[in-house]
Structure formats: structure tokens, C-alpha cells
Amino acid sequence: MENHPVDNLMKTTMSHIKEMVDVNTIVGDAIESKDGSLIIPISKVSFGFAGGGSEFSSSNCKSENSKFPFGGGSGAGVTVRPIAFLVLKNDSVKLLPVEYDNSLDKIIDSIPQLIESIKNISNKSKQNKN
């Protein structure tokens, strides 16, 4: 059985979308900073796809076995938006979002960093006393 032109149209478009969107699009390549930490970008990928076609009857067809002319098209749109950065430094892992929904989210995310700073200050004061 021969493939319909719409099948070929859809397969071609989907194969191009597969080429554009892969795992490296969502979780990007790691970037090493000067202090030795690794920064990994995390993105949100959204895409839409539409396609279709139609066969048209032709008054120019001379035999009943001839195929009708086909007209079709397809389209796709892809949006890649960074949403966070994963930071790996020594034994700690931090997720730094690009946008916060509200101030409370930002405060909650900064608590581990605040605790780490307090520990460092207390360790320095202990070392100075000794």
C-alpha cells in the first residue's frame, strides 16, 4: 500500500522537530566557572504542530485511474525558555530559578545560603578564639 502524501508531510515535519528538540535543549551543557563550580542550565521547551492537506478533483483528469492533485502544508513552533540553573559546588547542590512567583519563594530559597553563611561566621570566630 502506498503512503498518502499527508503521511509523508507529517513524518518530515516530526523528524525536523526531533532534530531541534533533544535532551541537551532541556538540560544544557555544564559550564565550569573559575571557582570550580559547575552551572547547568535547565529550560522549558514548548512546541506546537499542525498539518493537513486535501485532494482536489481535476476536470483535466482524462482517466478514472489517475490520482487527484494533492495540496498540503504543515507548520511547527518551538519555544525554549530558561527556567533555572543547577549549581554544583563542592558537596552542595543549589537550584537557582530564573523567576520567582513571589517574595516568599525568594526568601525560602535563600535560607540554606543564609545558614551556610552563619556557619562560616561561627567557625571563623571559633578559630580566632583558639
Side-chain angles (χ1 to χ4, degrees):
M1 184 174 176
E2 190 176 312
N3 283 345
H4 195 275
V6 169
D7 293 336
N8 294 332
L9 188 66
M10 297 294 212
K11 287 178 186 174
T12 302
T13 306
M14 291 305 289
S15 69
H16 288 298
I17 289 175
K18 281 183 187 177
E19 289 174 13
M20 289 189 298
V21 180
D22 64 356
V23 167
N24 291 329
T25 306
I26 298 167
V27 178
D29 295 329
I31 302 164
E32 188 171 355
S33 67
K34 290 181 182 180
D35 67 352
S37 59
L38 289 176
I39 302 169
I40 303 170
I42 313 267
S43 300
K44 177 182 179 180
V45 178
S46 304
F47 68 93
F49 171 76
S54 179
E55 292 180 338
F56 300 97
S57 63
S58 173
S59 59
N60 297 335
C61 291
K62 295 182 180 178
S63 70
E64 292 181 19
N65 294 334
S66 65
K67 294 182 179 181
F68 291 122
F70 174 78
S74 65
V78 178
T79 302
V80 179
R81 189 174 64 111
I83 57 169
F85 294 96
L86 191 61
V87 180
L88 308 165
K89 184 176 181 181
N90 300 332
D91 291 336
S92 67
V93 177
K94 294 180 187 175
L95 184 67
L96 303 174
V98 173
E99 296 177 1
Y100 289 99
D101 291 334
N102 56 46
S103 298
L104 184 61
D105 289 342
K106 190 171 185 177
I107 292 169
I108 291 171
D109 282 345
S110 64
I111 288 174
Q113 186 177 1
L114 180 63
I115 292 171
E116 189 69 31
S117 298
I118 292 170
K119 284 181 184 178
N120 290 338
I121 291 170
S122 67
N123 288 339
K124 285 181 183 178
S125 65
K126 286 179 184 178
Q127 288 175 355
N128 290 338
K129 287 181 181 179
N130 293 335

